Amino acid sequence: MRTAMANRLTPYMFMAPAAIIMAIALMYPLGYMVWGSFRDWNPSQTIGEAEFVGLKNYIFLWNDPNFHESLIVTLKFAFFVVTIEMVIGVGLALLLDREIRGISVLRTMFILPMMIAPVVVGLMWRYMYHPTVGTFNRFLDSIGLPRVDWLGDHALTSVIIADIWQWTPFIFILSLAALQSLPRSALEAARIDGATAWQQIIHIKLPLMMPVLIVTALLRLIDAFKVLEVILVMTEGGPGLSTEILALRISRTATEFRELGVAAAMSNYLLILLLLLTVGMFAFNRWQEARAARLNALVEEES
Amino acid sequence: MSTPNSRANLAFYAVIALLVFMSVGPVLLMFINSFKLDVDIISGTSGLIFMPTIQNYEQALCDVLWYEPEHLDFCSLKFGGAFINSLIIALISTALTLVIGCMAAYALVRFRFMGRDTVSLSTLMVRMVPPAVLLVPVFGLWNNEFCLDRDGLIGGAIRDTFGGRGDVCLAGTHSGIILIYVAMNLPFVIWILQSFIVQVPRSLEEAARVDGAGPFQVFFKVVLPLIKPGLAAAAIFTFRIAWNEYLLASALSDRDTRTVPILIVNNMSEFNVEWGVIMATGMLLAIPPIIFTLLASRQIITGMTAGAVKG
């Protein structure tokens, strides 16, 4: 009797520490943030002292051109980063999918960029983009081309390039793994039927890799909204608002403008955006599984 | 027949060489520049012809050096202290996250219990929360609510035993930063470890159960040793985030608990950047992750693929 009781309690005992910590340090803060977003709140007040203002913060942001600007910058950044990284990463995987000697050494070198601190990545690129001493402009000088004002006129592009440098290997490695676990029989059959390399890619490899590719893209997309340190170090959001992504704007609203309520409302907008993406990902996964199950059932019926 | 083939091979290796150069180049550049004097960096005597010097590193580490570098009359950059803070925070939060996350992942995989689906769903949801979103509430809570009141029971006890004011807040302490890092990393660790625990054969556990081992013994003596690769991957990812994180640490730390990323950002935002010293600090911050990458790239890649493919 006592052992049965103990056994029933076991899962809860295993879960308890994680559940408690996440409740205290994640769920409670998130609730607290929603609560705080309805208040006119500055850092020197406790939340109880702050005045309740209803939806004022949300309405203010809804009409705030700066917020729009930064939302657009964020979406642009996320869109370009994910698209370009997917194209390059998957393309390289398709190109390099063969027996390579020393592949493990290569992979080690490719994952180096993403293990290094974002702060340091920003620092390296800020140096390389430097208008006078930077690597790129020195190179342009040496071959006689005019200098480019990387972090001035082309700040967003430069920031996107840095992110592509850091995260393309992630997509490359994942799609290479997906590619190498494809069923050999399908590829073999295609080759025997005389499909060209290009046809194999379009009709067999890409469709079979699709589930992994979509999950990868969504993971990258969600991570693209978390990028902050690289941009902070490289441009501090400037010039103007040209690289001020939402995460950066939240942190500046909270620390520089000292308007915690507005920052909380902004965080909520960002969270809603991400939630929609996540729900989309879930729905897609479910749909994929359902389709696979249906196909399996169909195959079994026929046989 | 052999000519186009070998030409294709040549092109293939050229592409690979270019890719390696592109991914390692910037790191190498920083490494080289960290051994140059600012004069050399700015004057543009490009290439490898320069006198290597460790002055930058001496200046960065001046607060922990046992001798006084003669080119320095004032130690402004307290890098050593920040490095130790970073180390304490990253190591403790990694250890805690692993132990707690491992137990939770085990429960989610092996037991059917009430609320299991809710827990597993919310774990996934929370994974999507960016650190920037946590900034405001964490700042508010850690400064105002997660405090030991001086009149309260524990606060009073601390005041009576250790003296001091007795009202301690989580903000500005190591444990404050550790708490948020553990919470932030838990969903990810649980997610990754689940995919490893599923692979442990049930029969092994049942055999141990028959031999009279309790659930905790089964977990620690049978399951844990079998998922070592997963643990290594999870540990590296957790350590990486805790070691590299800037935003939340900057909101929660005070002068004595500053971590390295904060130090670097603070020195960057000043108008006149001392490239040599900054690159030396950047290099020092990058060294632990680089070592991990070189030692455990296989585990990192396994973890990465498991995390993405087993969505």
Side-chain angles (χ1 to χ4, degrees):
Chain A
M1 201 53 208
R2 260 188 64 213
T3 46
M5 183 68 181
N7 277 342
R8 210 140 40 98
L9 280 180
T10 311
Y12 295 103
M13 271 149 75
F14 274 103
M15 277 307 299
I20 292 171
I21 287 201
M22 277 163 67
I24 292 179
L26 279 178
M27 299 304 177
Y28 182 47
L30 287 179
Y32 190 81
M33 179 189 72
V34 175
W35 181 230
S37 67
F38 297 116
R39 290 169 175 267
D40 185 9
W41 181 21
N42 77 53
S44 55
Q45 295 168 308
T46 63
I47 198 164
E49 293 160 11
E51 188 194 348
F52 185 85
V53 292
L55 283 173
K56 191 176 146 227
N57 292 330
Y58 290 91
I59 295 167
F60 166 74
L61 282 175
W62 191 258
N63 298 318
D64 180 16
N66 290 343
F67 175 68
H68 294 175
E69 177 74 29
S70 131
L71 188 65
I72 291 170
V73 169
T74 313
L75 292 176
K76 253 197 217 163
F77 175 80
F79 174 78
F80 282 115
V81 156
V82 175
T83 331
I84 301 176
E85 283 172 13
M86 284 306 284
V87 171
I88 301 181
V90 176
L92 284 177
L94 289 169
L95 196 67
L96 303 181
D97 173 31
R98 55 159 117 176
E99 294 293 311
I100 309 171
R101 225 177 302 157
I103 181 73
S104 59
V105 180
L106 281 182
R107 279 197 297 205
T108 310
M109 296 197 172
F110 288 148
I111 52 176
L112 211 53
M114 42 183 151
M115 299 304 285
I116 292 178
V119 169
V120 178
V121 171
L123 158 74
M124 287 184 316
W125 283 84
R126 178 158 164 189
Y127 168 74
M128 293 196 291
Y129 281 139
H130 194 278
T132 52
V133 305
T135 318
F136 293 130
N137 274 350
R138 280 227 179 110
F139 177 71
L140 289 177
D141 274 351
S142 68
I143 58 171
L145 289 174
R147 289 178 172 175
V148 175
D149 188 7
W150 296 101
L151 292 178
D153 300 339
H154 308 281
L156 189 58
T157 321
S158 307
V159 168
I160 290 175
I161 292 176
D163 194 83
I164 291 174
W165 173 79
Q166 198 185 5
W167 286 105
T168 305
F170 174 73
I171 291 169
F172 169 69
I173 285 172
L174 287 189
S175 35
L176 196 64
L179 204 53
Q180 289 176 341
S181 64
L182 291 186
R184 289 286 139 198
S185 57
L187 293 174
E188 206 84 330
R191 208 170 303 138
I192 291 169
D193 287 346
T196 61
W198 192 241
Q199 282 171 329
Q200 282 182 33
I201 289 175
I202 297 279
H203 295 294
I204 300 177
K205 288 182 182 168
L206 280 183
L208 283 177
M209 283 162 75
M210 215 28 107
V212 177
L213 290 188
I214 286 173
V215 173
T216 314
L218 278 164
L219 281 181
R220 260 318 288 146
L221 190 62
I222 287 159
D223 279 351
F225 288 94
K226 297 186 185 175
V227 174
L228 176 127
E229 285 108 328
V230 178
I231 298 182
L232 175 73
V233 172
M234 276 171 67
T235 65
E236 285 159 45
L241 294 176
S242 59
T243 54
E244 191 168 81
I245 53 163
L246 268 185
L248 198 55
R249 186 156 187 86
I250 292 172
S251 106
R252 284 187 62 194
T253 315
T255 54
E256 271 175 44
F257 312 144
R258 301 170 65 80
E259 292 184 16
L260 292 185
V262 179
M266 211 182 305
S267 309
N268 263 336
Y269 274 129
L270 180 59
L271 218 51
I272 291 169
L273 192 68
L274 281 168
L275 204 65
L276 289 179
L277 283 175
T278 316
V279 169
M281 177 162 137
F282 265 115
F284 178 81
N285 260 355
R286 281 283 149 81
W287 177 74
Q288 194 93 27
E289 275 165 22
R291 202 181 63 153
R294 214 167 45 234
L295 279 180
N296 276 343
L298 220 61
V299 169
E300 269 168 30
E301 236 168 61
E302 275 174 16
S303 61
Chain B
M1 197 58 198
S2 78
T3 335
N5 203 357
S6 69
R7 190 177 296 164
N9 254 336
L10 200 66
F12 177 76
Y13 283 107
V15 169
I16 288 192
L18 187 71
L19 287 179
V20 169
F21 173 73
M22 281 186 352
S23 68
V24 183
V27 187
L28 219 56
L29 185 73
M30 184 171 75
F31 181 70
I32 293 171
N33 273 336
S34 69
F35 288 103
K36 283 185 188 174
L37 290 177
D38 272 2
V39 193
D40 283 334
I41 297 177
I42 289 165
S43 71
T45 43
S46 58
L48 299 164
I49 312 146
F50 64 94
M51 269 303 276
T53 166
I54 56 163
Q55 275 195 20
N56 294 324
Y57 287 93
E58 284 177 333
Q59 192 174 343
L61 293 170
C62 54
D63 59 335
V64 283
L65 281 184
W66 59 94
Y67 60 91
E68 256 179 54
E70 55 209 38
H71 57 89
L72 265 186
D73 33 332
F74 177 65
C75 182
S76 57
L77 207 65
K78 302 259 191 296
F79 185 88
F83 197 82
I84 291 164
N85 283 333
S86 271
L87 215 55
I88 293 173
I89 290 170
L91 287 180
I92 295 181
S93 62
T94 308
L96 281 177
T97 317
L98 273 194
V99 175
I100 296 171
C102 204
M103 286 165 60
Y106 181 67
L108 285 176
V109 171
R110 278 291 183 261
F111 299 98
R112 313 262 135 210
F113 57 92
M114 250 181 58
R116 178 176 172 278
D117 289 336
T118 329
V119 173
S120 129
L121 190 73
S122 51
T123 316
L124 256 178
M125 286 293 187
V126 165
R127 222 190 94 110
M128 314 302 171
V129 175
V133 166
L134 290 173
L135 177 70
V136 174
V138 161
F139 180 81
L141 284 173
W142 267 235
N143 273 308
N144 295 324
E145 302 227 338
F146 289 179
C147 295
L148 295 172
D149 196 1
R150 53 192 324 227
D151 304 322
L153 202 62
I154 310 173
I158 289 179
R159 188 192 55 220
D160 294 342
T161 356
F162 300 108
R165 297 183 321 168
D167 53 339
V168 191
C169 284
L170 265 182
T173 63
H174 287 136
S175 27
I177 305 177
I178 290 171
L179 174 65
I180 185 66
Y181 283 174
V182 171
M184 226 168 57
N185 280 317
L186 265 179
F188 180 68
V189 166
I190 293 176
W191 201 39
I192 274 201
L193 288 180
Q194 269 182 327
S195 66
F196 282 90
I197 293 178
V198 169
Q199 291 166 9
V200 175
R202 239 193 177 151
S203 51
L204 270 183
E205 286 173 52
E206 267 149 28
R209 200 66 71 75
V210 171
D211 288 348
F216 280 91
Q217 268 174 313
V218 171
F219 175 68
F220 283 107
K221 298 229 167 110
V222 180
V223 178
L224 272 195
L226 283 173
I227 56 166
K228 265 187 199 151
L231 287 177
I236 290 171
F237 282 108
T238 323
F239 180 86
R240 169 181 154 256
I241 292 180
W243 179 258
N244 292 345
E245 211 277 338
Y246 160 76
L247 186 66
L248 292 171
S250 79
L252 292 182
S253 65
D254 61 11
R255 236 183 47 216
D256 299 324
T257 48
R258 272 203 306 207
T259 57
V260 182
I262 303 172
L263 197 90
I264 292 180
V265 172
N266 285 352
N267 278 288
M268 277 305 278
S269 45
E270 273 155 36
F271 181 66
N272 206 353
V273 182
E274 294 176 333
W275 285 109
V277 180
I278 277 293
M279 296 223 173
T281 53
M283 210 54 222
L284 288 171
L285 180 67
I287 282 173
I290 290 180
I291 291 176
F292 276 126
T293 316
L294 295 183
L295 288 183
S297 61
R298 184 182 300 266
Q299 278 80 3
I300 296 173
I301 289 168
T302 330
M304 236 160 52
T305 23
V309 179
K310 298 261 168 124

